[in-house]
């Protein structure tokens, strides 16, 4: 760190941060980056697809995109803007293909030789080649590192290195960009700045500095110089290749190769838009404004711009530094719970989630809060997709694999019109193998491994946003396992999901609760038993007291549910004492006092809600 005098011209601090979008009312564009072929697009090149057809496809898939300028026409405008751009594109194509074809030739010569040492060498060569080809290819490598439907596991493991190990660009260039953005000498803004970047990524790098006006430590993210024209050229070339491969992709894989490139391009240009990134960060911070357990950094919009982002410096403990966490007095179990719940809130409540929550982007504050940084890779799910995701979980719990296969079509994993009959047994096997003998055996790594096998046997494609969901869940599970070797995700997630189903006022969620408990108008005692059994199999660590209290409150307040339960208890011309006794037996006796205490704490609120409900009914009558 060097001290900058008032009139010194060099020095600054940056840290990469981007956020995601959450409030539907503040979204600027509703769109979809769906790469699955649809009846309206499967026979056309992207250039022949009308805007109306694209929008229709996007709305059908239910995706939302954060506002950004990507379009195939934009790529052509950038590449063919002048003779110099055209020559640069031709030169870039030659350089690109010479490297790719050289690597492909080596793979061809290796056919039949699949020894681990050779595979490791080729995977390393692939990583080195992508690094040499520049930011677009580095980003492509980072994406491929989480795409088991495209790349084999040993290659994915090597490409993961690209997420943390990217060569920085010149500090002198970085400070010139920063000073140009500020419009004044750095010494007027910063009292000190790190001489070298504290982190480097494919699109930018980060310095740490101190603001002169407030004395606050900040992270400053500075975009790599000249990166935008390179990305436009590369995306144009990618799209031209995809157009040639599209007939094969549509016939053999059931997906539109051009739309896959468009999906990648949308996300890449989102990361280049630092103004939008600042807006996203504010939205992410707004989401957790009233959460006492999550810290999101503030952003200085007055010091930020298209190429520079200045935000709060997070001074925390790396989330996987177990020794430091313990020495700081942080409760690991509570920190894990906070991390899992905050991740689920991003996914199921806000629809705006961190797409790259690796250990370098998550910190523990000294007061036990969890802090997120580096929002350069975030994604958004529409309300439709959030609901379908919950449907898929409900169908998995209910072992309704036919309905789960239909959910896969709605989410874009399968093309519309796909015959799901051969896929249903595969889904059943994946779920059964992942659950093992009990809830304690469940983990996302097993699910992903089994699913990876299925994508090669069936026409399954993982949409980009859901590849981020998968990566996010896997990464967070890996962090939790580092902190606690016997960590089980569902033990922590179960109370949160149950509480949401039981307490959320959203009619769509309430309907999904009915789907869990009822089928064809009849109460399914076995499903309720199954849910309680799952909780009890989790080594007794799932606290059901709050869940039972919430359930009791729901029964008292929801007239429809009360009527349904009364019918269930008396249906088939008998009283279902036996089923009720089995349910009561599944509630641990040693938690009876906890359940009573929880119910007693909630009694005043329940009584108030009942009184309001009854008074409203009287007034209506």
């Amino acid at each position: 760190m060097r001290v900058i005098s008032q009139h010194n011209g060099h020095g600054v601090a940056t840290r990469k941060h981007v956020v995601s979008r959450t409030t539907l009312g503040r979204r600027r564009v509703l769109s979809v980056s769906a790469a699955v072929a649809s009846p309206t697009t499967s026979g056309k090149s992207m250039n022949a697809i009308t805007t109306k057809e694209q929008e229709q496809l996007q709305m059908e898939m239910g995706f939302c995109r954060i506002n950004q300028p990507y379009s195939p026409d934009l790529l052509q405008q950038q590449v063919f803007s002048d003779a110099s751009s055209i020559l640069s594109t031709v030169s870039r194509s030659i350089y690109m293909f010479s490297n790719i074809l050289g690597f492909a030739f080596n793979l061809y010569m290796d056919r039949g030789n699949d020894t681990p040492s050779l595979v490791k060498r080729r995977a390393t060569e692939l990583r080195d080649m992508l690094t040499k080809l520049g930011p677009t290819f580095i980003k492509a490598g980072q994406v491929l590192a989480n795409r088991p439907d495209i790349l084999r596991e040993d290659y994915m493991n090597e490409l993961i290195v690209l997420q943390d190990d990217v060569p920085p660009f010149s500090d002198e260039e970085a400070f010139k960009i920063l000073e140009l953005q500020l419009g004044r000498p750095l010494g007027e803004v910063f009292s000190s700045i790190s001489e070298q970047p504290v982190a480097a990524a494919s699109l930018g790098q980060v310095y740490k500095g101190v603001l002169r006006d407030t004395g606050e430590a900040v992270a400053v993210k500075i975009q790599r110089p000249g990166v935008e024209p390179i990305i436009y050229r590369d995306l144009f070339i990618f799209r031209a290749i995809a157009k040639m491969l599209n007939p094969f992709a549509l016939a053999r894989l059931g997906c539109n190769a051009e739309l896959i490139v468009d999906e990648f391009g949308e996300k890449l240009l989102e990361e280049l838009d630092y103004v939008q990134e600042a807006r996203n960060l504010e939205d992410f911070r707004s989401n957790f404004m009233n959460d006492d357990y999550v810290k999101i950094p503030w952003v200085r919009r007055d010091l930020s711009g298209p190429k520079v982002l200045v935000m709060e410096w997070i001074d925390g403990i790396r989330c996987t530094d177990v020794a430091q966490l313990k020495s700081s007095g942080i409760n690991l179990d509570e920190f894990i719970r906070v991390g899992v719940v905050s991740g689920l809130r991003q996914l199921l409540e806000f629809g705006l989630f961190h797409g790259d929550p690796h250990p370098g982007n998550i910190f523990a504050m000294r007061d036990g809060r969890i802090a997120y940084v580096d929002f350069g890779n975030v994604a958004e799910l529409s309300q439709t997709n959030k609901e379908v995701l919950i449907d898929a979980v409900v169908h998995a719990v209910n072992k309704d694999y036919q309905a789960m296969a239909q959910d896969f079509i709605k989410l874009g994993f399968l093309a519309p019109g796909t015959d799901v009959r051969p896929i249903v047994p595969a889904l059943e096997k994946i779920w059964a193998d992942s659950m093992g003998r009990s809830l304690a055996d469940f983990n996302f790594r097993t699910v992903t491994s089994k699913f990876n096998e299925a994508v090669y046997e069936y026409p399954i494609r993982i949409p980009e946003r859901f590849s981020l969901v998968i990566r996010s869940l896997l990464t967070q599970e890996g962090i939790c396992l580092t902190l606690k070797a016997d960590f089980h995700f569902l033990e922590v997630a179960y109370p949160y999901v149950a509480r949401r189903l039981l307490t959320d006022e959203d009619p769509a969620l309430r309907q999904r609760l009915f789907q869990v408990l009822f089928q064809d108008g009849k109460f399914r005692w076995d499903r309720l038993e199954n849910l309680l059994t799952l909780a009890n199999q989790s080594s007794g660590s799932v606290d059901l007291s709050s869940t039972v209290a919430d359930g009791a409150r729901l029964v008292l307040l929801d007239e429809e549910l009360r009527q349904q339960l009364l019918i269930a208890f008396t249906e088939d011309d008998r009283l279902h004492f036996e089923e009720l006794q089995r349910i009561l037996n599944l509630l641990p006796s040693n938690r009876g006092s906890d359940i009573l205490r929880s119910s007693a704490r909630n009694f005043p609120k329940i009584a108030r809600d009942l009184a309001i409900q009854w008074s409203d009914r009287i007034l209506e009558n």
Side-chain angles (χ1 to χ4, degrees), residues 199-213:
S202 57
L203 303 181
Q205 59 196 38
V206 178
Y207 296 81
K208 180 182 179 181
V210 177
L211 294 176
R212 184 172 293 280
D213 58 352

Side-chain angles (χ1 to χ4, degrees), residues 267-319:
K267 291 300 300 175
L268 195 52
L269 293 191
E270 282 176 15
E271 294 191 45
L272 281 178
D273 188 352
Y274 284 10
V275 175
Q276 179 65 39
E277 181 173 337
R279 297 191 195 107
N280 292 339
L281 179 50
E282 290 172 337
D283 284 343
F284 212 96
R285 182 174 169 83
S286 176
N287 283 345
F288 287 101
M289 183 64 68
N290 297 319
D291 194 317
D292 296 331
Y293 301 99
V294 179
K295 169 68 177 177
I296 305 296
W298 43 257
V299 60
R300 283 287 299 264
R301 294 288 295 274
D302 59 320
L303 301 177
S304 303
K307 308 294 182 184
V308 173
L309 197 60
V310 180
M311 69 214 75
E312 180 182 8
W313 179 267
I314 296 297
D315 186 16
I317 304 168
R318 189 179 175 94
C319 66

Side-chain angles (χ1 to χ4, degrees), residues 414-586:
L414 295 169
T418 299
D419 182 5
V420 299
R421 287 175 297 179
I423 298 174
V424 170
L427 293 177
E428 182 176 0
K429 187 175 188 306
I430 290 172
W431 182 251
D433 290 349
S434 301
M435 288 302 298
R437 291 168 297 178
S438 71
L439 180 68
D441 295 324
F442 178 90
N443 63 78
F444 284 111
R445 185 69 58 185
T446 303
V447 174
T448 305
S449 177
K450 298 295 180 183
F451 193 73
N452 291 354
E453 298 172 7
V455 298
Y456 289 104
E457 297 180 32
Y458 305 99
I460 298 173
R461 194 199 72 85
I462 303 176
E464 170 65 17
R465 278 166 174 76
F466 289 108
S467 75
L468 291 179
V469 172
I470 293 170
R471 177 170 73 181
S472 177
L473 292 171
L474 283 174
T475 305
Q476 292 182 72
E477 183 180 63
I479 292 171
C480 292
L481 286 169
T482 301
L483 298 176
K484 184 180 179 182
D486 59 348
F487 165 78
H488 304 301
F489 178 84
L490 291 185
E491 290 183 357
V492 183
Y494 187 97
Y496 165 79
V497 175
R499 170 155 284 195
R500 278 221 68 200
L501 285 173
L502 291 169
T503 63
D504 201 292
E505 298 299 329
D506 184 356
L509 277 180
R510 184 61 51 82
Q511 184 59 38
R512 278 151 184 83
L513 175 62
F514 279 96
Q515 289 180 28
V516 173
L517 299 178
F518 295 91
Q519 184 177 39
D520 299 328
K522 297 190 68 174
F523 187 80
R524 292 292 302 271
W525 293 93
D526 59 322
R527 290 182 176 178
L528 181 55
E529 287 183 53
N530 185 38
L531 288 172
L532 292 173
T533 300
L534 287 177
N536 287 331
Q537 286 175 340
S538 58
S539 306
S541 63
V542 174
D543 184 2
L544 292 175
S545 56
S546 296
T547 303
V548 172
D550 291 334
R553 175 180 178 276
L554 178 60
V555 171
L556 286 172
L557 297 177
D558 194 310
E559 183 177 359
E560 181 183 0
L561 182 58
R562 283 202 308 273
Q563 292 176 349
Q564 291 278 11
L565 290 177
L566 183 59
I567 293 172
F569 185 65
T570 59
E571 67 184 354
D572 299 329
D573 298 323
R574 71 183 183 89
L575 298 177
H576 290 255
F577 282 113
E578 182 181 346
E579 289 85 349
L580 183 59
Q581 185 60 51
R582 288 203 302 269
I583 297 300
L584 293 175
N585 289 338
L586 288 171

Side-chain angles (χ1 to χ4, degrees), residues 239-254:
R239 213 165 185 288
I241 297 172
K243 185 174 182 178
M244 291 187 292
L245 296 176
N246 216 25
F248 170 81
L250 289 168
R252 299 292 299 274
L253 303 177

